[in-house]
Structures are given as C-alpha cells and as structure tokens.
Amino acid sequence: MEEDGLTPEVGRSDPETRGYSEVHPDWRRKGARENQKKMKPARASEDTGTLVFQEERLRRLVAGLHLQDLSAGGSVDRVLSTFTARLETQPTQTPPPERLYHPDGRVTATPLSDGSTSSSAKVTPAEPTRWLIQDLLPELLHSPEHREERTGHAPMTTAEPQTSETVDQPGVEEPTATQNSRDSDTRPTSVTLVTRAEDRTRVALVSPLVTSGSQTQKVKAGSQTDGRIQRTSKATFPFFTDDYCPPDCSCYGRVVQCSDRRLDKVPYGIPYNARYILLMNNRIDGIQLDLLKGYTSLEFLVLSNNRLTDGAIKGAFEGVPALKRLFLDRNLLASVPADLPASLEELRLEGNQLRVMSEAAWTRCPGLLVLSLNNNSLGSGSGSLPKGVLRPLTRLRALNLDHNQLSSVPLGLPLSIKELYLRGNLIREFRRAVFGGVSPLVLLDLSSNRLTNKGLPREALFNTTHLESLNLEGNRLKQVPPHLPQSLKTLNLEGNLIWSVNRKSFRHLKNLEHLSLSRNKIVKVVPGAFKSLSALHQLDLCYNALRQVPRQLPPGLHSLTLTHNQIDTVSPDAFCWGNVSVSGLIQVRLEQNLIQMGRLDSKAFRCLRGPQIVRFY
C-alpha cells in the first residue's frame, strides 16, 4: 500500500471499504460516495466536496461548542435547516481541504498538494464545518428573534471595547469558549470561535455578554489574517450602571427592592450608586467575595430572614465605606461578624444563634449607635456576658438583649446607653456595677424576668438619675421597690405578687405620670397612697382583689381603671376630697365588679364633670 502512494485508513476494519482505497488512486470521489451509501444520505452536493452531515452529529457539535442554550425552543432545528439550505444553494463555495469523516470522528486520509495522502489522528467532527458555521451562526445568534427567544429580554446595545491586543495563533484550528469565574451568576450564552484563515479573512463569532467576576465583558470578534488573531479586551455594560436594574428586583431611584423573590444569592449587577438594597425574606445562603466593595454609596443593607452563616459572609462587608445600617436578623449566624465597617451606626442581629461574643468584635465599629441582639442564646452556660465586652462601643445609645438566657445584667456597659432592653431573660438581680458611673439611661426594661425585692436592692438604680421609664412587669416582686429614681415618669409593675400599697411606696415620685399595678394580688390600698402623685395622669389597678375604690386619689388624674376587682362601694372621698371642686377625671372604669347601683352614695361623684365619665357596665 505504501508503493501505491496511499496510506492505510486509520482505525478501519471494513474489507470492502479498504479495497476501494487500495485499488482506486482517485479515492476521493469514488470511495467517498461508496461510504456515503453505507451511511445516511449526505446533505452536500458533489460539487462542494464530500462532507457527511448527520442530524445527530450536528446536535453533538452544537453541544460541544457550549451552545446548549440553542436547544431550547427549536433553535437547533432552525440551525440544521439553515445549514441544509446553505449547502444546497452555494455549490461554488470553496470548501476547506476535504477529509472523509466517519460518525465516530475518525478521518481516513487527506490529499496533499502533490497528489499523495497522509493519515491523520482522531479529530473533532466539528472541524471541517467551521468555514460554514462562522458564516451562519452569527446571523442566527445576533438576530433580535434569537436573543429574545434565548434570554427573554429584548436585545441590548453594547458599548465598544476600549483596547485590543494581537496574539499569535498556531496553525491548528481550535475553538475557545468564554469562561465564567467562580463568582459569576451569568451563564455563557455563546462561544468565541477561532478559525484558521485559508484564503480569506474570517470573522470570529461574537459572544454577546460574558461576565467574569464582578465585571461584565463583551468579547468582540477580531479579524485574523496569516495565522494571527486580533482579540479585543473587556467593556463594562450594562451591569452595575446607574440605569440598570436586575430582572429579579424593582428599582426606585437609588432604592433597589429585591425582597420576597426566593433568591438564593445576591442579584448580579445591582447599580453601584444604590443607597438602599433590600434583600429580606429570601433564601440567600452566601455573599460573593468582594461583591459589595464597589458600592461606595451604600447606606442601608437589609438581609433579614435568609440563610446566612458565619463562613458565608466572611469578609463580605469590608470596603463598604458608607454603610450605616445593616440588618442580619433571622439568619443562622453563631457569632458577630468580624469585618463590620467603621461607618456602621445600626446593627440588627436578632433571631440568630449567637451564644458568645468577644470585645474584639466591636473594635471595628466604635461609632455604633443601635445594637439589637435579642432572641439569641447569649448567656447559655455562663449565665452572662464577659465584663466590659461592649466597652469599645463608646457611642452606643440603644442595646436590645431581650429573650436571651442571661441570669444577670452584663457589667461594665457603656455609659452612653440611653435605652436598655432585657425582657424575657432569667435575671434574678440588678447590681450597681452595671454602670461604672452616672448613666444617662432613660429607659430600662426588665420585664418577664425573675427579679425579687432582694435582687433589686436600694443602690441598684442609684446611678440612673435620668431614668424616665422603668418596666418591671412579670417578675416576683411582693411590694413596690423602694428608692426608685425620682426622675421616673412611667412605672409598670403589672403581673407581680404585690398585695398592698402604703403611703411611702410612691411618695418621692413627684414626676410620675403613668402607673400600672394591674394583675397583682392587691387587697388593700392605704388612704392617700397616691395623694402625693401630683403629675399622675393614668392609674391602672384592674385584675386585683380590691373591695373599694382607693380613697384620696390625686386631683390631676385623667384615667382610672378598676375593672375585674371585687369593689362593692365607692367612698365619698374617693374622687372628691379636700378642696377639689372639679375633678380632672375624664374616664372611670368600674366594669366587672360587685357594685349595686341602689346602694351608691351620690355625693361620691359630685365633683365629676358628668355621669358619662363613670362606666359601671
């Protein structure tokens, strides 16, 4: 066979076909036609050269070129029909060097310039058809109908690339596909097809939009002549631009609303000029590394009610210089993020799985004003937080530690705190060392704990000289705590075990305006017990065991609630006593008692503004 000037076919075992190659020197025409008879009919005419196209092979070719998106909506069938029409209507097209391919991708022989043949190794079935693909596919891929069919969006105009570079290309044909980085959300929609120039300049296939990392690139076709390819560099469009809005979001100026969309990651391409990004109530389980670094104007980021863990947000908030409010509540965090920006003013971490925290966690954001840590597991095991753990937060104004497992109030809290919420813990005592000096505290909520009179000693609130609101609801107090701050305006003692009220209980609370003693076990109120409360507007004594209306109520009182007691009489000096001619009461509620209207003394209501003020039923 070497003497006849032929090279044996590679990998062929068919004796009949091998005979054609050995006997007929002009094997290209006769041998090829015989092989085509054994296969499915070819879709190329004899004048264009012998190219065996089968529908299934071309489908594999399209998939091999990473054009899977074409398979949706009948696009592949459109490509096949276009190929067939082009082959049949252009008989004079100059084909590449003819090679006979078998369905498994093997080549038999290739004619050389001197008339001889040479064998070739196994190559891809797509190789001989690139001269046709490079002409047809750009027409299909860049038609408005195809883009709208493939992406669901109307075609967009892309910006021209800024720079270009020229690289050498070897003589071997190779397809190069655009790649997604590990952080990209956008799948490749096309490929860059590089072909070898035979007798004319070829234009490579354009990739519409290819994302890499946090940047969008448009790879434009470069012209190739004499084995050299000109490649163009990236151009950013349209992601991250001021007028772009991700499909999963709604944008209102500089507010990007992506909540309640069942997202599993932060949408790609949110404009860099956004000030408010709302991503609550989704399924986001991580934030891509460095994704937020470009948002220099971002002030408010809401990631509430997602599936974020410690590792999934590590390093995510570094490089966001303007961030002031960060909501990470109702996630799966076990610790405080260690990369909080220094600009942060409000941080919400409630509803996570926090158990411990360290002082170092707060050194990066000393300007924090509002910190919410409620509904976690802080204090589990140890019973409290380390002393001075929040000391770096020298500007902190509001601290919420509701519904944790603290058995004592954290010591060494910043003296800047004005609102402290400790509801629903296991606290048994409140020590003086909670604040190291005079505190500007205005509101203190210790409700639903296990405080007793012993756990709230005289010096407990000694340094809280500005305290205006104190909530001791739902504890185990048996009497009104003595030595409460004189600055109090609102005092809630509801739901305790108090059984009596004497004259000394509130004598020093000259500024008290709202007092609730409901749901206790009060049987007796000493006459004049509330007499000194000249500023009192509202008094609630419902759900107790009183037998009569308390006597000598303050004249400035506006609302009195005595429902669900055992009252059967109203003393003449209950509302009208001393020099009181007209009472300030506008509402007296006496429903659900034992009062008999026929036994009431009419003088008891003489100073009231009208009978409509009192409600018996």
Side-chain angles (χ1 to χ4, degrees), residues 112-142:
L112 301 178
S113 58
D114 57 359
S116 61
T117 60
S118 64
S119 62
S120 301
K122 192 171 185 177
V123 295
T124 171
E127 187 173 359
T129 64
R130 291 193 185 123
W131 63 279
L132 192 56
I133 294 174
Q134 58 118 19
D135 288 329
L136 294 179
L137 287 188
E139 298 175 10
L140 296 175
L141 289 176
H142 294 291

Side-chain angles (χ1 to χ4, degrees), residues 84-197:
T84 304
R86 190 64 170 267
L87 286 171
E88 294 174 354
T89 58
Q90 293 188 3
T92 60
Q93 180 73 36
T94 302
E98 285 102 17
R99 296 177 180 177
L100 184 61
Y101 288 90
H102 299 291
D104 61 355
R106 289 189 295 242
V107 61
T108 56
T110 301
L112 301 178
S113 58
D114 57 359
S116 61
T117 60
S118 64
S119 62
S120 301
K122 192 171 185 177
V123 295
T124 171
E127 187 173 359
T129 64
R130 291 193 185 123
W131 63 279
L132 192 56
I133 294 174
Q134 58 118 19
D135 288 329
L136 294 179
L137 287 188
E139 298 175 10
L140 296 175
L141 289 176
H142 294 291
S143 64
E145 295 80 9
H146 170 69
R147 285 199 182 183
E148 188 169 0
E149 173 189 9
R150 175 170 49 82
T151 64
H153 301 284
M156 295 177 292
T157 303
T158 57
E160 288 297 322
Q162 299 174 354
T163 59
S164 64
E165 59 179 359
T166 303
V167 297
D168 292 335
Q169 172 67 11
V172 181
E173 302 173 355
E174 67 176 66
T176 60
T178 56
Q179 299 178 353
N180 286 344
S181 68
R182 61 184 180 88
D183 298 318
S184 176
D185 297 322
T186 307
R187 296 181 177 86
T189 58
S190 182
V191 298
T192 301
L193 185 61
V194 181
T195 61
R196 185 179 59 191

Side-chain angles (χ1 to χ4, degrees), residues 232-432:
T232 56
S233 65
K234 59 190 177 182
T236 58
F237 183 86
F239 301 131
F240 306 106
T241 58
D242 296 353
D243 56 351
Y244 177 76
C245 188
D248 294 320
C249 304
S250 301
C251 301
Y252 311 94
R254 300 176 69 180
V255 179
V256 182
Q257 167 63 277
C258 310
S259 302
D260 302 285
R261 305 298 173 92
R262 299 182 179 180
L263 304 174
D264 56 6
K265 60 178 62 178
V266 178
Y268 190 81
I270 295 176
Y272 279 133
N273 73 334
R275 293 181 61 189
Y276 305 91
I277 300 179
L278 312 180
L279 291 160
M280 67 191 77
N281 304 328
N282 284 295
R283 303 170 181 174
I284 300 173
D285 56 7
I287 301 178
Q288 298 91 316
L289 189 63
D290 298 336
L291 178 63
L292 301 177
K293 281 192 174 181
Y295 295 92
T296 56
S297 301
L298 182 60
E299 298 179 7
F300 188 13
L301 176 60
V302 181
L303 288 161
S304 307
N305 194 23
N306 280 282
R307 302 174 181 177
L308 298 173
T309 59
D310 295 340
I313 63 172
K314 186 176 181 181
F317 307 114
E318 293 181 344
V320 191
L323 188 61
K324 294 182 178 180
R325 305 177 67 189
L326 176 59
F327 287 12
L328 294 170
D329 52 293
R330 290 173 292 163
N331 279 281
L332 305 174
L333 303 177
S335 62
V336 179
D339 58 343
L340 298 174
S343 58
L344 200 61
E345 295 181 356
E346 181 178 358
L347 176 62
R348 294 185 58 174
L349 290 169
E350 64 263 30
N352 280 279
Q353 301 173 4
L354 305 181
R355 291 181 175 271
V356 294
M357 68 176 69
S358 62
E359 184 175 348
W362 308 112
T363 56
R364 295 178 60 94
C365 52
L368 199 63
L369 300 177
V370 180
L371 176 59
S372 182
L373 297 168
N374 53 295
N375 293 90
N376 280 283
S377 301
L378 295 172
S380 59
S382 61
S384 185
L385 299 177
K387 183 178 180 179
V389 66
L390 298 174
R391 188 175 290 121
L393 304 178
T394 56
R395 298 181 57 193
L396 191 63
R397 295 292 184 269
L399 174 61
N400 193 332
L401 291 168
D402 287 349
H403 299 289
N404 279 279
Q405 300 182 28
L406 301 172
S407 59
S408 62
V409 181
L411 304 179
L413 294 177
L415 291 177
S416 59
I417 294 180
K418 291 188 175 182
E419 298 179 15
L420 178 58
Y421 301 89
L422 290 162
R423 179 184 179 90
N425 280 277
L426 309 173
I427 298 174
R428 298 177 180 271
E429 60 179 348
F430 191 97
R431 303 177 187 177
R432 181 178 179 179

Side-chain angles (χ1 to χ4, degrees), residues 438-441 461-468 485-488:
V438 177
S439 170
L441 191 67
L461 301 173
F462 182 78
N463 289 329
T464 58
T465 56
H466 297 84
L467 190 63
E468 295 182 359
Q486 298 181 10
S487 56
L488 277 180

Side-chain angles (χ1 to χ4, degrees), residues 519-550:
R519 300 183 185 276
N520 277 278
K521 302 181 180 298
I522 300 175
V523 177
K524 179 182 179 181
V525 176
V526 175
F530 306 107
K531 180 180 178 180
S532 60
L533 301 177
S534 58
L536 191 63
H537 297 322
Q538 183 176 356
L539 176 60
D540 190 351
L541 286 164
C542 65
Y543 290 96
N544 280 285
L546 295 173
R547 301 298 299 271
Q548 65 176 4
V549 175

